[in-house]
Amino acid sequence: MTGPDHAARRGRLRAVLAANGADRLLITSPPNVRYLSGFTGSNGQVLIGASPDDDVLITDDRYAERAAAEAAGLAIVLSRDAGRVAIGGGDRGPTPVAALAVEADHLTWDAAERLRILAAEHDTEVVATTGLVAALRAVKDDHEVDLLARACAITTSALEELCAVRVTAGATERELAVWLERRFLDLGADGVAFPSIVAGGPNGAVPHHAPTDRPLVPGDLLTVDCGALVDGYHADCTRTVAVGDPRGELVEVHAVVARAQEAGRAAAVAGATSGDVDLAARTVIEDAGYGAAFVHGTGHGVGLEVHEAPAVARGATATLSPGTALTVEPGVYLPGTGGVRIEDTIVVTADGAPRVLTDTSRSLRLR
């Protein structure tokens, strides 16, 4: 598997820098820093300049060796004052930059205030930007798709084993969650993409339920939403399983959600918008009379973060391109009764139907 071309990624970002009226761009979001440099330490910032020779990774002495290993080919500045390095003077030479762009959606109020004061001292304009790197990250290269596929393969393998062997009456939500996450590690994952959601019976009506010691009982539907983490990339998959004979309405609900999820996947084609995907899935659920019980968007982008651009929600306007990775996860939630969610991680292709990375049975399996 060919490694990522961090220099090319920085080059694509540099192309939009001038359009934002800035000479340099300071990247402070850890996932964005990793995407542009390969650096995974807890303190790192990437400074994008007018030419490749101006790009630097800013970190501190604790990470000198790690930075050299992970961000090979990128100049490294060891400093705990990234703002001063970015504006100029000191580590960056005698001439402060005229306009510095920042990631406004990733700066704390305190950091922004300190940067504003420093910029005023050097007569530097601070330009707020949002979503510049997120827009690049939404479309995955082959290396990223390979990592997502590996994470999804581990996820589906463990989830299939859980559903086939471990889901029985008397098992608790917490026991199943612990087993599943340990199984990810056994199969080669670096960790979990997020805390697993294991929701049985009426708990299934809570979309982000945290597992409890409630045991499964015959008639429950069990929703399991989980993902493995591989080299920074997150899988995300949900299946709903019946324990014994499920209660009447929930069988109908599962069939509705399955049709909605299929419609959403079919709508995820190059040139469509993420809102089109949401509309396709949502229409099926609304036509079946469960629109008020579908309480979240149909999905989200997935990659270095489990929730990233594009949003797959009502009215979303992001255009899907080949390589866009996203989830399709409609659900119906009936308080006091239970719920159903079915989710896949998919990648938009250039030639029609998306590539489904979590392509396992979506039928209502009985346990």
Side-chain angles (χ1 to χ4, degrees):
M1 180 171 58
T2 304
D5 189 341
H6 297 112
R9 293 175 180 176
R10 295 193 297 272
R12 289 193 292 273
L13 183 59
R14 194 183 338 276
V16 302
L17 182 58
N20 284 269
D23 306 296
R24 295 175 188 156
L25 170 61
L26 181 63
I27 301 297
T28 51
S29 159
N32 291 347
V33 169
R34 182 172 187 166
Y35 178 76
L36 295 168
S37 69
F39 180 70
T40 63
S42 64
N43 177 31
Q45 302 83 33
V46 170
L47 184 62
I48 304 295
S51 75
D53 292 340
D54 296 326
D55 296 347
V56 298
L57 171 67
I58 307 165
T59 186
D60 63 68
D61 300 83
R62 297 172 300 166
Y63 292 113
E65 292 188 12
R66 184 171 182 172
E70 293 182 339
L74 184 59
I76 298 168
V77 173
L78 300 178
S79 173
R80 292 181 180 270
D81 192 345
R84 191 171 298 278
V85 174
I87 286 173
D91 295 331
R92 294 296 297 173
T95 305
V97 69
L100 173 69
V102 298
E103 295 186 291
D105 46 349
H106 296 293
L107 281 180
T108 64
W109 178 271
D110 178 66
E113 281 295 287
R114 286 188 282 108
L115 186 61
R116 181 188 62 79
I117 293 170
L118 180 62
E121 293 174 358
H122 293 281
D123 197 27
T124 294
E125 177 187 5
V126 177
V127 179
T129 69
T130 59
L132 296 184
V133 184
L136 298 180
R137 283 174 46 196
V139 178
K140 272 58 181 178
D141 58 31
D142 290 345
H143 174 76
E144 293 178 287
V145 173
D146 285 343
L147 292 175
L148 282 171
R150 286 170 53 191
C152 288
I154 290 171
T155 300
T156 54
S157 178
L159 183 54
E160 285 289 299
E161 188 176 350
L162 180 92
C163 293
V165 178
R166 297 285 170 170
V167 174
T168 59
T172 70
E173 296 170 341
R174 197 186 313 275
E175 288 169 350
L176 295 175
V178 169
W179 183 91
L180 181 64
E181 294 179 358
R182 286 177 176 165
R183 191 63 180 141
F184 289 162
L185 299 178
D186 292 341
L187 293 173
D190 299 323
V192 297
F194 53 90
S196 300
I197 298 168
V198 180
N203 292 337
V206 181
H208 281 186
H209 172 72
T212 69
D213 290 323
R214 178 191 182 277
L216 301 180
V217 299
D220 279 351
L221 287 194
L222 175 71
T223 298
V224 182
D225 185 344
C226 60
L229 181 70
V230 171
D231 201 9
Y233 282 78
H234 300 68
D236 199 355
C237 181
T238 307
R239 294 293 186 265
T240 301
V241 186
V243 181
D245 292 327
R247 299 180 179 94
E249 185 180 13
L250 292 176
V251 176
E252 175 192 351
V253 168
H254 189 279
V256 169
V257 173
R259 292 198 304 271
Q261 209 262 350
E262 182 179 12
R265 283 186 283 115
V269 297
T273 69
S274 55
D276 294 335
V277 177
D278 180 89
L279 180 62
R282 193 172 300 278
T283 297
V284 174
I285 292 175
E286 290 177 344
D287 287 350
Y290 291 102
F294 182 12
V295 296
H296 53 72
T298 295
H300 51 83
V302 62
L304 282 170
E305 295 174 281
V306 72
H307 293 98
E308 60 182 46
V312 185
R314 193 192 303 269
T317 59
T319 300
L320 303 182
S321 301
T324 303
L326 64 151
T327 68
V328 180
E329 51 177 308
V332 169
Y333 310 94
L334 305 177
T337 300
V340 175
R341 183 165 66 254
I342 302 173
E343 175 186 22
D344 286 303
T345 296
I346 68 174
V347 180
V348 178
T349 67
D351 54 359
R355 177 183 175 187
V356 182
L357 302 183
T358 49
D359 199 12
T360 65
S361 175
R362 301 168 192 85
S363 63
L364 183 56
R365 288 171 286 188
L366 304 182
R367 288 292 301 146

